[in-house]
Amino acid sequence: MGSIENLVTQIQGLSGSIDDIAHLHNILKVADESLHAEPSALSSVLDQVDPAKHSLGYLYFLEAFTSGPVSKEQALTLIPILARFINCCDAQQIRFAPDKFVSVCKRFKDHVLLIESPLRGVSPMRAAVRKLQTTSEHLTTLHPDFLLLCLLSKSYNIGLSVLEDDIFDVDQPRDLFLYCYYGGMICIGQKRFRKALELLHNVVTAPMNTINAIAVEAYKKYILVSLIHYGQFSTSLPKYASSAAQRNLKNFCQDKNLGLVKQVVSSMYKHNIQRLTQTYLTLSLQDIANTVQLGSPKEAEMHVLQMIQDGEIFATINQKDGMVRFLEDPEQYKTCQMIEHIDSSIQRIMTLSRKLNAMDELMSYDPLYLSKVLFTQVGRERQRFDFDDFDTVPQKFPI
């Protein structure tokens, strides 16, 4: 206990400058094993350390204190302590021990799931993601955990706030798979099917040596969302998809996708109605019901009204004679709001273009990439030519 008190004193005295924190980190790494040997003694010590001012020391104490298995009752006690630390800790200090911080945050996520209250974890986990990120382009190992909590608590809007970031830096491949999969599910929940397709497509086409369960589930939903959004889907994957995906993502089953299947059926009616707008200017509700194979004119009217409300078609309904008049898109693309939207889109595309050019330049210098390209080119040349047909060429030429 005396050694812990001495450690508390050092934490309180060495939490100011960066040099002091670096020195404290070395002390804490040496003391880490002894902290795990007596975690029960740390309960009272946590009250002596300020999680905001002494974040690194508090992190080591908290990680050791919460290292054992917990019951639901213990989880209820620990959740406020963990949430308070995550919300108020200093990002600069916790980055000295990112693995410790990740471990604490994952335990926090496990605790809120243990008590079946994922909503309690959403806000602290979002704070944890932002504190662990070096830039907004950095995908941390906490991103999937945060999105899972958003998905389970149906906090889709909060999840979308993180999905808006453009990701270029990934720590672990599995994190990317789960981030895109959970993100795709959140976008489906918000009916943002285009963004969902983009994320699910990233899972299916990401590099992989062997097929994994995440990619299989993503492919099932990718097909269903394609049917909802486009009214069709392609069974072939793009050429840049891995050979493992090309070989194995052939079978499709509908397990645990009933909700999406129902949306697919509904979307088929919508796509058929949209096709009618390309052929007719006016059409009766009875004709729409017959063409689209709906049960009654009333059902056709409900579909048309919902599509008008969602901005999927432009039309008016005459209630007296049951006629639908299809209209042109009223948007003239002249409003200040539309011009600002177009300008922001152009700026974002230009930023992405510069980023891709920089990544392409970095890749062109990568030794592994260059050796693979050279090996591939040599293999192709050997297939094209029989080098025995050529006379030997001298290595040096006299001038």
Side-chain angles (χ1 to χ4, degrees):
M1 191 65 183
S3 62
I4 294 179
E5 292 296 337
N6 291 334
L7 191 58
V8 169
T9 303
Q10 289 177 309
I11 289 170
Q12 293 171 340
L14 294 173
S15 295
S17 68
I18 294 296
D19 291 338
D20 285 346
I21 295 171
H23 178 52
L24 174 63
H25 186 215
N26 292 328
I27 295 172
L28 289 169
K29 286 192 290 186
V30 174
D32 191 40
E33 187 175 347
S34 62
L35 292 177
H36 281 80
E38 44 182 341
S40 58
L42 300 175
S43 177
S44 59
V45 177
L46 288 173
D47 296 330
Q48 303 176 38
V49 182
D50 188 329
K53 293 180 180 178
H54 316 123
S55 299
L56 184 60
Y58 197 98
L59 173 61
Y60 268 79
F61 284 158
L62 189 60
E63 193 276 331
F65 179 62
T66 60
S67 58
V70 297
S71 63
K72 279 191 176 183
E73 291 73 18
Q74 291 171 318
L76 285 167
T77 303
L78 289 173
I79 285 171
I81 299 172
L82 290 163
R84 177 171 173 261
F85 169 71
I86 293 170
N87 283 322
C88 72
C89 68
D90 179 66
Q92 195 173 38
Q93 290 194 39
I94 61 99
R95 285 178 188 160
F96 276 88
D99 292 342
K100 292 280 185 186
F101 184 66
V102 167
S103 178
V104 165
C105 292
K106 286 185 176 291
R107 286 173 193 166
F108 171 72
K109 182 261 297 184
D110 292 338
H111 292 349
V112 296
L113 293 182
L114 180 63
I115 65 168
E116 299 177 357
S117 182
L119 184 60
R120 293 185 63 177
V122 171
S123 180
M125 283 300 289
R126 179 170 60 174
V129 166
R130 294 309 187 194
K131 291 181 179 182
L132 192 61
Q133 277 185 308
T134 52
T135 69
S136 62
E137 299 174 351
H138 176 209
L139 179 68
T140 72
T141 192
L142 295 180
H143 272 82
D145 296 304
F146 164 69
L147 292 180
L148 175 61
L149 292 178
C150 291
L151 188 61
L152 294 175
S153 63
K154 297 186 178 180
S155 305
Y156 302 139
N157 283 328
I158 301 176
L160 287 173
S161 67
V162 169
L163 291 170
E164 295 297 332
D165 296 334
D166 293 315
I167 298 298
F168 293 99
D169 184 14
V170 180
D171 288 340
Q172 296 292 332
R174 187 174 183 273
D175 297 333
L176 177 65
F177 280 102
L178 287 173
Y179 167 81
C180 291
Y181 178 71
Y182 291 147
M185 295 286 287
I186 286 171
C187 291
I188 291 170
Q190 286 292 84
K191 298 191 182 301
R192 294 185 57 174
F193 296 122
R194 185 183 295 276
K195 181 66 175 178
L197 283 172
E198 175 190 324
L199 291 165
L200 295 171
H201 181 268
N202 289 342
V203 180
V204 174
T205 59
M208 63 183 93
N209 294 324
T210 57
I211 201 68
N212 59 70
I214 305 170
V216 173
E217 289 302 315
Y219 185 61
K220 296 174 185 178
K221 289 173 176 59
Y222 179 77
I223 292 176
L224 289 169
V225 177
S226 296
L227 289 170
I228 293 171
H229 190 64
Y230 295 117
Q232 59 185 2
F233 74 95
S234 174
T235 56
S236 60
L237 295 175
K239 292 181 179 179
Y240 52 82
S242 67
S243 56
Q246 298 277 9
R247 288 194 308 268
N248 294 289
L249 291 180
K250 300 294 184 182
N251 298 324
F252 173 71
C253 56
Q254 296 175 350
D255 55 313
K256 299 182 181 179
N257 290 294
L258 180 60
L260 273 176
V261 172
K262 289 180 179 178
Q263 292 188 59
V264 168
V265 174
S266 176
S267 73
M268 291 296 99
Y269 296 131
K270 290 184 178 182
H271 284 291
N272 288 333
I273 292 172
Q274 284 176 329
R275 291 191 186 99
L276 295 177
T277 67
Q278 300 169 11
T279 307
Y280 301 96
L281 291 176
T282 58
L283 204 61
S284 70
L285 289 170
Q286 183 64 61
D287 289 337
I288 292 175
N290 294 339
T291 306
V292 180
Q293 297 182 347
L294 289 168
S296 65
K298 188 65 177 176
E299 194 174 347
E301 182 181 5
M302 291 176 60
H303 276 83
V304 171
L305 286 172
Q306 186 62 53
M307 292 177 72
I308 293 172
Q309 183 179 339
D310 295 340
E312 295 173 333
I313 62 171
F314 303 95
T316 59
I317 301 176
N318 189 322
Q319 298 289 347
K320 292 182 179 179
D321 55 14
M323 296 296 293
V324 178
R325 182 185 176 194
F326 298 116
L327 308 173
E328 296 291 332
D329 185 351
E331 177 61 62
Q332 297 297 314
Y333 299 96
K334 295 179 181 179
T335 62
C336 293
Q337 184 180 2
M338 181 55 67
I339 292 171
E340 289 177 3
H341 174 72
I342 293 172
D343 182 65
S344 65
S345 297
I346 292 172
Q347 293 298 326
R348 182 171 180 269
I349 290 169
M350 290 173 65
T351 302
L352 286 174
S353 178
R354 287 193 295 269
K355 189 72 177 179
L356 288 172
N357 286 335
M359 293 174 67
D360 183 62
E361 186 175 351
L362 285 173
M363 186 176 291
S364 67
Y365 298 138
D366 186 83
L368 290 175
Y369 172 76
L370 291 174
S371 62
K372 185 171 183 179
V373 169
L374 181 62
F375 178 79
T376 304
Q377 289 178 344
V378 170
R380 288 174 180 171
E381 291 298 321
R382 289 184 179 278
Q383 292 175 0
R384 288 175 57 194
F385 303 110
D386 183 353
F387 289 100
D388 292 337
D389 293 341
F390 293 87
D391 293 332
T392 57
V393 179
Q395 296 294 320
K396 295 182 180 180
F397 299 89
I399 298 178

